[in-house]
């Protein structure tokens, strides 16, 4: 068995016309025989996170899995202090910064 990290993207919707979606990116540790099985497990896990509830304002909020963004082997099999778990590369820093609230000091 190999250890994988799956990157899941979930999104909220609501039964109100002025709802602004909230997105959650989560990193999930999975074990599987191969990447295809790890991707299947990621999809199942993401679907298990889907839920609906009524918020304090009485609005129905629904969380749904939007995408399994990526599945990759854990980079360091010896999980110790400082182990690298996951990495991805990109070219457009401005685009990354535009959606990453922590870079601008925003807290959700």
């Amino acid at each position: 068995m190999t250890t994988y990290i799956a990157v899941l993207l979930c999104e909220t919707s609501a039964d109100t016309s002025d709802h602004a979606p909230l997105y959650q990116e989560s990193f999930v540790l999975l074990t599987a025989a191969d990447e295809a099985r790890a991707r299947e497990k990621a999809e199942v896990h993401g679907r298990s996170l889907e839920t609906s509830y009524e918020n304090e304002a009485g609005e129905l909020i629904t969380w749904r899995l939007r995408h399994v963004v990526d599945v990759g082997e854990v980079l360091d099999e010896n999980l110790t202090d400082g182990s690298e778990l996951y990495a991805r590369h990109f070219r457009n820093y401005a685009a990354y910064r535009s959606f990453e609230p922590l870079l601008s000091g925003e807290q959700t």
Side-chain angles (χ1 to χ4, degrees):
M1 293 295 257
T2 304
T3 305
Y4 293 88
I5 298 250
V7 181
L8 307 178
L9 179 65
C10 295
E11 175 185 27
T12 62
S13 62
D15 61 355
T16 62
S17 61
D18 63 342
H19 175 74
L22 179 64
Y23 299 91
Q24 174 182 297
E25 182 181 50
S26 60
F27 296 76
V28 179
L29 200 61
L30 303 165
T31 57
D34 56 40
E35 187 175 325
R37 179 66 183 128
R39 189 167 291 279
E40 290 171 10
K41 287 180 75 171
E43 181 81 25
V44 168
H45 181 79
R47 296 281 176 220
S48 77
L49 299 174
E50 295 182 336
T51 189
S52 293
Y53 60 90
E54 196 172 285
N55 68 11
E56 55 280 344
E59 302 162 334
L60 181 65
I61 305 296
T62 301
W63 279 97
R64 296 273 182 246
L65 175 65
R66 179 97 188 231
H67 294 287
V68 175
V69 176
D70 193 17
V71 174
E73 285 188 43
V74 169
L75 298 175
D76 187 346
E77 291 186 25
N78 299 316
L79 299 180
T80 59
D81 188 33
S83 293
E84 189 170 2
L85 302 177
Y86 175 81
R88 62 182 170 176
H89 302 88
F90 57 92
R91 295 189 187 281
N92 189 334
Y93 180 74
Y96 180 80
R97 186 178 174 90
S98 74
F99 82 84
E100 177 49 64
L102 297 177
L103 289 175
S104 64
E106 178 184 336
Q107 300 291 321
T108 56

